[in-house]
Amino acid sequence: MGSTFQGIEVGKRGLSVHQQAIQTTGHNISNADNKHYARQRVVMNSMDPIYDPAFNRAEVPGQIGQGVKISEIERVRDNFIDDRIIDSSSLKEYWGKKNDYLYQVETVFNEPTGTTLRSMMDQFWSSWEDLSNYPEETAHRAVVQEKAEALGSRMEDVYRKLSLLRDQSNREIESKVNHLNTVAENIKSLNEKITKSQALGDNPNDLLDRRDELLQELAGMADITIGRSDEDELMVFIGQQILVQGQKVHKIDLVGNPNNDGLLDLKWSQTGDTVLLRQGSIQALYEIRDKILVDKINAVDALAINAMDVINEIHKDGFGLNGKTNLNFFESRALATNTFGEIDTDGDGLNDKTAVFRVTGRTSIDADRPIGISGTMRFLKASPGGETEVLVPYSKDDTLNAVIKRINRSETGVVAYMSHDNQLALKATTNPLDKKENFMIRHLEDSGELLVGLTGILTATGVAGSFDYRKVGEINKFQANAQDLTLTPMYHPSSFFKMSEDVRNNPANIAAARGKDVNGSGDYNSPNGQKDGSNALLIAAALREKPVMFDYSKTTDDFYNSLISRLGTEAREAKQEYTTQNELMVELENMRQSVMGVNLDEEMANMVQFQQSYNASARMISTLNEMLDTIINRLGV
């Protein structure tokens, strides 16, 4: 027979269990607005009965129950949805950060309205065209000076703002990586607490929620992989490297890269290896800093140096009102400190390269006539593996214009065009792999006579007569005079887009006149009077119409349109991808909240149910108390 007091224990368990259930319901309600909180549920099971099956058990009808117990307080959550959200967080933050910065880059260029580079160049071009009609008037020369000054200020402003954005992205990388290390440390601390709690048989639900929140935050910064195969040790990977392993953290260091303007790279503290990222906001910042912004700065630099060089090239051949000639319109700042173009690139104090931007041949030639010779030109193009050989053949039936097109389509790092004096000109482009080698002709070699006898660029054919920038003294390989050579400019020529002192201080030095050839030599070597504005017209044509090759684009308009078009495409792609990923995240969050979110109506219903059960358990104890009182005090024994 069971104990008289047995029912009181059953009632007490009912009180305890339903009190805990009400407390859990209250915990859920108080966290209803916490989107990272997973609702908790009390799992109730019946206690083991008094008698286990055995031959010596008491003769009673069946097993006698002992009430209810709490087996666990479980966290209602779907790990598969969580993993999808972690993956999507990396993509969302990646495109979100790109979208933010590309919007700022668009604001810098401010197209199509406002004070833009395009409008400044149009006004500068118009001023030269007007000057060609009124070359003798000082007022029109002052307008040219004014528009040149405005264009230079705008060019320098664009460069400065793009550089500031690059510095800003570098500082944000530093901030993000420091925060990533902090989050990793917090995950490690939570792992320690969770492990201890689970070792005692508890379910540390709130700690697990906090850890999942940190994992999602971490995923926004870098593409992580979570390893849950070991129940005692959660692991977080970035690429193939472990960031967090249970209660151990592998820290990420920030190291300045001297080959990248001292900007920061991510290295594993333990091994020194580079941290490999594919997604997340940090990877987006890397691509913005080292690719997108570098590409835009390179483009502005290319626009600046090509515009300055083309105008200087024509201006030097013209004459001012005072008869002066061979003057630069824009200030020229060469990377080399000597007239041979020799520079020291490895910092050992010895010059080791020859840096030349443009070379123009000495011979005037009709570019539409067959050249009558055959051969192969050899160029070296920068490539990820070092250098790639590019061969450009020509035959006797080709015209020089056809050969020029062939060179430009081959994208050898060197472009060709016909100068205003119908001479072949070759100049370097930007280097997409190393901005320190922007605007350097790498290699010129010709097995035939096109670059030697026909156009007058190289002094000799074959390897012996080839120009190679990796050597010194190579400027002697050119036939060109000093005025037909332009040395590689200082880094970022867009940052010093200024008129030369000769022109800025005296508008009469602006060479609007073409001059005349007095001895039939083909050289315009004498002033042609103050009414001559043909040189100004040549400059206007070079700025707008003549294919003088701005990198791989024929004209300034082609080049600038391509730059703005690429920027618009990149910005549109980033915005579309961010919108898509954001919408996907909303859907996934809704799915997750449908599983783990707190429903206040449901919780209120549970609270009423648990309250009634609690009252019933209390009523049962009260009834048993009355029964015992009858037995003990009222039987009269």
Side-chain angles (χ1 to χ4, degrees), residues 91-108 161-162 165-166 168-169 172 176 220 280-282 284-285 287-289 292-293 567 570-579 582:
L91 274 174
K92 176 193 170 186
E93 295 300 323
Y94 172 83
W95 288 111
K97 191 58 66 178
K98 273 197 166 183
N99 181 52
D100 291 343
Y101 271 85
L102 284 168
Y103 173 77
Q104 294 181 67
V105 175
E106 285 187 310
T107 303
V108 170
K161 288 178 177 176
L162 291 175
L165 277 179
R166 195 161 185 246
Q168 176 184 318
S169 62
E172 195 167 351
K176 290 279 185 185
S281 59
I282 296 177
L285 287 166
E287 293 181 14
I288 290 161
R289 188 193 73 182
I292 293 175
L293 287 173
L567 174 58
E570 290 169 342
R572 185 167 56 252
E573 179 192 18
K575 186 175 182 179
Q576 289 174 347
E577 289 291 340
Y578 175 65
T579 300
N582 194 47

Side-chain angles (χ1 to χ4, degrees), residues 6 34 51 82 84 108 113-114 196 202 222-223 255 267 289 312 319 348 365 373 471 488 507 535 551-552 568 586 589:
Q6 178 180 340
N34 182 357
Y51 296 113
D82 288 343
R84 288 187 63 190
V108 170
T113 59
K196 289 179 179 179
D202 293 336
D223 49 316
V255 181
K267 303 286 185 181
R289 188 193 73 182
N312 283 346
F319 294 86
D348 63 355
I365 187 171
I373 52 177
K471 303 174 184 177
T488 298
N535 207 54
D551 262 29
Y552 293 111
V586 170
E589 281 288 352

Side-chain angles (χ1 to χ4, degrees), residues 505-560:
N505 297 333
N506 187 358
N509 284 332
I510 297 177
R514 174 74 162 152
K516 57 186 177 181
D517 179 10
V518 295
N519 54 13
S521 63
D523 182 22
Y524 295 82
N525 49 24
S526 179
N528 198 27
Q530 295 186 353
K531 294 288 186 180
D532 182 9
S534 55
N535 207 54
L537 193 60
L538 284 174
I539 292 176
L543 283 172
R544 176 58 65 88
E545 303 162 358
K546 190 172 176 60
V548 291
M549 297 308 297
F550 282 62
D551 262 29
Y552 293 111
S553 301
K554 290 183 179 180
T555 66
T556 54
D557 272 0
D558 291 340
F559 180 83
Y560 194 74

Side-chain angles (χ1 to χ4, degrees), residues 25 65 71 79 124 127 227 237 247 258 283 327 417 464 480 517 576:
T25 300
S71 60
N79 285 334
F124 185 50
S127 69
F237 297 86
Q247 299 172 31
Q283 175 62 17
L327 298 177
Y417 67 96
D517 179 10
Q576 289 174 347

Side-chain angles (χ1 to χ4, degrees), residues 18-220:
H18 289 99
Q19 182 182 15
Q20 182 64 56
I22 289 176
Q23 290 175 349
T24 301
T25 300
H27 186 48
N28 287 340
I29 293 172
S30 63
N31 282 279
D33 294 325
N34 182 357
K35 71 174 185 177
H36 295 287
Y37 173 80
R39 64 189 175 93
Q40 297 177 15
R41 181 168 57 196
V42 174
V43 179
M44 303 179 189
N45 288 327
S46 59
M47 292 287 294
D48 292 337
I50 291 179
Y51 296 113
D52 291 329
F55 287 111
N56 60 351
R57 55 171 272 184
E59 288 292 334
V60 292
Q63 296 177 329
I64 300 174
Q66 297 190 80
V68 69
K69 68 176 181 179
I70 296 176
S71 60
E72 66 172 325
I73 299 176
E74 69 175 356
R75 192 172 62 128
V76 182
R77 196 153 187 155
D78 190 331
N79 285 334
F80 294 104
I81 296 178
D82 288 343
D83 288 343
R84 288 187 63 190
I85 285 177
I86 284 175
D87 290 339
S88 296
S89 293
S90 293
L91 274 174
K92 176 193 170 186
E93 295 300 323
Y94 172 83
W95 288 111
K97 191 58 66 178
K98 273 197 166 183
N99 181 52
D100 291 343
Y101 271 85
L102 284 168
Y103 173 77
Q104 294 181 67
V105 175
E106 285 187 310
T107 303
V108 170
F109 285 97
N110 201 28
E111 293 288 348
T113 59
T115 306
T116 67
L117 275 176
R118 185 195 302 274
S119 65
M120 292 290 98
M121 291 200 69
D122 285 345
Q123 293 174 28
F124 185 50
W125 166 75
S126 297
S127 69
W128 281 104
E129 196 170 53
D130 292 341
L131 180 60
S132 70
N133 295 321
Y134 306 97
E136 75 282 6
E137 293 189 9
T138 304
H140 284 82
R141 293 171 177 270
V143 172
V144 171
Q145 288 178 312
E146 177 191 344
K147 299 306 179 183
E149 192 75 31
L151 175 60
S153 296
R154 181 63 181 139
M155 191 79 72
E156 293 172 0
D157 181 61
V158 169
Y159 166 76
R160 182 179 60 83
K161 288 178 177 176
L162 291 175
S163 297
L164 288 175
L165 277 179
R166 195 161 185 246
D167 292 337
Q168 176 184 318
S169 62
N170 187 65
R171 290 194 301 271
E172 195 167 351
I173 287 174
E174 182 179 14
S175 174
K176 290 279 185 185
V177 172
N178 289 333
H179 185 55
L180 183 146
N181 283 327
T182 300
V183 172
E185 286 287 343
N186 292 339
I187 291 174
K188 182 205 76 169
S189 299
L190 284 172
N191 283 343
E192 183 178 359
K193 294 176 182 179
I194 289 169
T195 302
K196 289 179 179 179
S197 181
Q198 289 175 336
L200 297 173
D202 293 336
N203 278 355
N205 295 326
D206 294 328
L207 296 179
L208 291 169
D209 285 343
R210 285 165 57 190
R211 187 174 70 179
D212 286 339
E213 179 182 355
L214 290 175
L215 288 172
Q216 184 174 338
E217 185 179 0
L218 196 63

Side-chain angles (χ1 to χ4, degrees), residues 298-321:
N298 279 345
V300 176
D301 284 341
L303 182 64
I305 185 58
N306 279 284
M308 286 191 290
D309 184 63
V310 166
I311 292 172
N312 283 346
E313 181 184 13
I314 301 172
H315 192 269
K316 283 190 291 186
D317 281 352
F319 294 86
L321 276 177

Side-chain angles (χ1 to χ4, degrees), residues 265-412:
D265 286 343
L266 272 64
K267 303 286 185 181
W268 290 105
S269 179
Q270 189 173 12
T271 63
D273 295 335
T274 300
V275 179
L276 301 177
L277 301 171
R278 295 174 301 166
Q279 298 169 5
S281 59
I282 296 177
Q283 175 62 17
L285 287 166
Y286 259 121
E287 293 181 14
I288 290 161
R289 188 193 73 182
D290 295 340
K291 187 176 183 298
I292 293 175
L293 287 173
V294 168
D295 177 63
K296 300 303 174 286
I297 291 173
N298 279 345
V300 176
D301 284 341
L303 182 64
I305 185 58
N306 279 284
M308 286 191 290
D309 184 63
V310 166
I311 292 172
N312 283 346
E313 181 184 13
I314 301 172
H315 192 269
K316 283 190 291 186
D317 281 352
F319 294 86
L321 276 177
N322 50 16
K324 287 192 175 181
T325 187
N326 203 29
L327 298 177
N328 281 329
F329 183 86
F330 286 110
E331 184 178 341
S332 178
R333 297 185 186 179
L335 187 60
T337 57
N338 53 74
T339 58
F340 301 104
E342 296 173 359
I343 58 174
D344 175 19
T345 59
D346 55 14
D348 63 355
L350 298 175
N351 293 330
D352 49 35
K353 286 183 180 178
T354 302
V356 175
F357 168 57
R358 175 186 57 85
V359 57
T360 301
R362 300 186 64 179
T363 308
S364 295
I365 187 171
D366 184 353
D368 292 321
R369 296 183 59 184
I371 56 178
I373 52 177
S374 300
T376 301
M377 289 177 287
R378 180 173 177 264
F379 302 89
L380 292 179
K381 179 181 179 180
S383 61
E387 290 179 328
T388 301
E389 181 184 71
V390 181
L391 302 178
V392 179
Y394 56 89
S395 62
K396 60 183 180 180
D397 294 327
D398 286 328
T399 63
L400 189 55
N401 276 332
V403 177
I404 288 173
K405 289 180 181 178
R406 201 171 298 150
I407 293 172
N408 295 335
R409 288 171 182 170
S410 299
E411 296 192 358
T412 63

